[in-house]
């Protein structure tokens, strides 16, 4: 039976958000193995629900938004939410800001290095063959900048910097472009962010002329991290009841979604550019998901159902990096080839995808039991 939190406990500062671990696991499970299950079911059944979901699990070519575009920025948002609970707790203990600054910078740089390793492996390559832009690299840089602002700026100034980065980014792309293109050109070849990366980002770009995790488009990603930090501050406040926190997140989430659609008319929602309208769009969805998970898990106390996601969320970087060092498909075939043969075509592909996800989860469960977590 779910436990109801007493009214007196509403004013206590939470030490850990169970909902944050669960939401992080929900986010990671899609790229961990849930995506191919949905896609195979769509191919086999042709049911509209699976076909609709399968479309949402593919990135748009350029402008537009699908659910799959939310996975990356949601993770960055949650990295921000954790800052007031981790860095903030150390500040409350009396740890100096300069000491915490080093920790924040170190963590950010480690994530950048992890991202380079994820892209290129451990083999030594010429610089021109190395891709420096990465998912973990963007999370590391955006988290680092947002956390530094948190360390040295009051909440009202954090709000200022949130808007400053996305407005400034919009104005730059609105009035600048690559040489030979009209001001405000937002094509892959003509936009200023891609041109900046072609000039200053070393190594190779993911698409040759553009990198979706480039350097210049990391500027608005800082706002995604700051939104998470501001959400974490709200969740940590002792002067607000839990239901008010849920209401604030939900209302602001809806407002952001509406503003994103308005901004989309001039500055299209675009993950590749991490456009300002994209920041508001994914920020709105992130707030709504955070409010839902927080309400169900931390307010109502329904925690058991989220255990599956919690196991993933508590070791998300480990399972993400493992893809480069563990041949998961081979492990899947080695243990369950007999099952695939027993099921036969065409549903063996669905079973294969399910067992692929199960093996990864069991690996994380073992790490959880042994209390082994990859911390950065």
């Amino acid at each position: 039976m779910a436990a109801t939190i007493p009214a007196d406990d509403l004013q206590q500062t939470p030490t850990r958000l169970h909902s944050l671990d669960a939401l992080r696991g929900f986010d990671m499970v899609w790229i961990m193995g849930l995506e191919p299950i949905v896609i195979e079911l769509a191919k086999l059944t042709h049911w509209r629900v699976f076909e609709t979901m399968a479309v949402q699990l593919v990135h748009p070519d350029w402008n537009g938004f699908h659910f799959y575009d939310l996975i990356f920025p949601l993770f960055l948002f949650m990295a921000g939410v954790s800052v007031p609970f981790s860095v903030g707790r150390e500040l409350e203990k009396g740890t100096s800001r300069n000491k915490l600054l080093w920790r924040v910078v170190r963590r950010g740089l480690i994530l950048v290095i992890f991202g380079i390793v994820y892209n290129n492996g451990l083999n030594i390559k010429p610089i021109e063959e190395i891709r420096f832009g990465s998912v973990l690299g963007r999370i590391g840089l955006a988290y680092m900048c947002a956390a530094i602002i948190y360390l040295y700026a009051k909440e009202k100034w954090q709000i200022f910097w949130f808007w400053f980065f996305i407005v400034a980014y919009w104005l730059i792309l609105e009035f600048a472009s690559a040489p030979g293109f009209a001001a405000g050109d937002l094509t892959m070849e003509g936009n200023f962010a891609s041109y900046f990366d072609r000039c200053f980002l070393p190594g190779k770009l993911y698409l040759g002329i553009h990198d979706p995790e480039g350097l210049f488009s990391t500027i608005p990603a800082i706002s995604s991290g700051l939104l998470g930090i501001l959400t974490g501050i709200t969740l940590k406040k002792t002067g607000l009841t839990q239901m008010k926190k849920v209401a604030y997140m939900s209302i602001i989430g809806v407002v952001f979604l509406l503003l994103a659609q308005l901004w989309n008319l001039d500055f299209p929602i675009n993950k590749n550019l991490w456009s300002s309208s994209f920041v508001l769009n994914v920020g709105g969805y992130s707030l709504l998901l955070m409010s839902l998970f927080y309400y169900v898990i931390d307010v109502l106390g329904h925690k058991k159902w989220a255990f599956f996601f919690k196991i993933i969320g508590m070791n998300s970087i480990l399972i993400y990096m493992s893809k480069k060092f563990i041949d998961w498909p081979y492990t899947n075939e080695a243990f369950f080839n007999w099952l695939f043969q027993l099921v036969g075509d065409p549903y063996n592909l669905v079973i294969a995808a399910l067992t692929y996800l199960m093996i990864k989860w069991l690996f994380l469960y073992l790490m959880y039991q042994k209390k082994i977590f990859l911390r950065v």
Side-chain angles (χ1 to χ4, degrees):
M1 181 178 294
T4 303
I5 299 178
D8 291 341
D9 290 341
L10 295 178
Q11 302 305 316
Q12 293 181 2
T13 302
T15 57
R16 186 177 188 90
L17 288 176
H18 298 284
S19 54
L20 187 59
D21 288 328
L23 182 55
R24 190 182 291 115
F26 170 79
D27 193 38
M28 283 297 300
V29 74
W30 294 97
I31 57 177
M32 188 175 120
L34 189 55
E35 169 205 351
I37 296 173
V38 173
I39 292 175
E40 291 300 332
L41 285 171
K43 291 177 181 177
L44 291 173
T45 65
H46 296 291
W47 291 0
R48 184 173 295 274
V49 61
F50 289 129
E51 290 181 336
T52 301
M53 290 176 66
V55 170
Q56 290 298 315
L57 293 176
V58 178
H59 294 300
D61 291 335
W62 192 244
N63 293 332
F65 178 79
H66 288 168
F67 170 78
Y68 214 47
D69 297 331
L70 177 61
I71 293 173
F72 176 10
L74 176 58
F75 196 91
L76 173 55
F77 169 85
M78 289 185 288
V81 173
S82 68
V83 168
F85 293 90
S86 55
V87 178
R89 182 173 61 246
E90 292 300 317
L91 280 173
E92 292 165 3
K93 290 179 179 178
T95 306
S96 70
R97 282 180 168 78
N98 290 340
K99 186 174 182 179
L100 291 172
L101 172 64
W102 164 240
R103 291 186 191 178
V104 165
V105 172
R106 181 183 63 184
R107 186 183 189 205
L109 294 180
I110 289 175
L111 286 172
V112 171
I113 293 171
F114 277 7
I116 295 173
V117 171
Y118 184 87
N119 284 345
N120 307 280
L122 295 173
N123 298 325
I124 298 177
K125 300 178 181 179
I127 290 181
E128 60 270 15
E129 295 181 13
I130 297 175
R131 183 186 170 219
F132 288 92
S134 68
V135 169
L136 289 179
R138 171 158 294 179
I139 292 173
L141 291 175
Y143 156 84
M144 180 174 68
C145 294
I148 291 173
I149 291 173
Y150 170 79
L151 278 174
Y152 295 99
K154 295 183 181 297
E155 187 177 347
K156 65 179 181 180
W157 283 105
Q158 294 168 29
I159 297 172
F160 166 82
W161 285 113
F162 168 82
W163 290 105
F164 174 83
F165 287 126
I166 57 176
V167 171
Y169 183 70
W170 166 56
L171 291 175
I172 292 171
L173 266 65
E174 181 83 7
F175 295 103
S177 65
F181 292 85
D185 190 295
L186 295 178
T187 63
M188 186 182 297
E189 300 86 354
N191 77 84
F192 180 80
S194 298
Y195 171 68
F196 181 94
D197 290 341
R198 291 196 292 271
C199 293
F200 298 105
L201 185 60
K204 64 179 182 180
L205 305 184
Y206 185 66
L207 297 175
I209 60 173
H210 169 78
D211 198 307
E213 284 80 52
L215 190 59
F216 195 81
S217 56
T218 298
I219 293 172
I222 299 172
S223 292
S224 297
L226 279 170
L227 180 61
I229 288 176
L230 290 165
T231 303
I233 291 172
T234 300
L235 289 170
K236 197 178 177 185
K237 283 182 178 178
T238 57
L240 292 176
T241 64
Q242 290 178 310
M243 287 307 301
K244 281 188 177 180
K245 295 173 184 178
V246 172
Y248 286 168
M249 288 188 288
S250 301
I251 293 170
I252 295 173
V254 171
V255 170
F256 272 23
L257 291 177
L258 294 174
L259 289 176
Q261 293 304 316
L262 288 175
W263 213 339
N264 178 58
L265 299 174
D266 181 70
F267 194 11
I269 295 173
N270 184 309
K271 177 186 176 294
N272 275 275
L273 292 176
W274 211 278
S275 62
S276 304
S277 56
F278 175 78
V279 172
L280 293 183
N281 196 56
V282 296
Y285 283 118
S286 297
L287 283 165
L288 290 177
L289 281 171
M290 188 72 244
S291 65
L292 175 62
F293 273 66
Y294 177 74
Y295 175 69
V296 173
I297 296 173
D298 289 306
V299 178
L300 297 182
H302 298 293
K303 296 183 176 70
K304 291 183 179 179
W305 71 274
F307 182 72
F308 174 84
F309 296 124
K310 179 182 176 181
I311 293 299
I312 302 170
M314 293 186 72
N315 240 331
S316 53
I317 295 180
L318 174 64
I319 198 61
Y320 183 83
M321 290 297 297
S322 72
K323 183 178 178 181
K324 299 301 295 185
F325 303 101
I326 300 177
D327 189 355
W328 292 110
Y330 173 80
T331 306
N332 199 31
E333 292 175 6
F335 283 99
F336 294 99
N337 195 47
W338 60 272
L339 180 59
F340 306 152
Q341 294 176 358
L342 181 65
V343 173
D345 294 330
Y347 287 95
N348 58 344
L349 295 176
V350 177
I351 298 301
L354 282 168
T355 55
Y356 178 73
L357 176 60
M358 185 186 72
I359 287 176
K360 284 187 171 183
W361 189 87
L362 289 174
F363 167 73
L364 291 179
Y365 180 71
L366 177 63
M367 296 298 101
Y368 174 80
Q369 291 288 83
K370 299 291 184 181
K371 294 182 171 26
I372 300 174
F373 306 101
L374 179 58
R375 305 293 190 195
V376 177

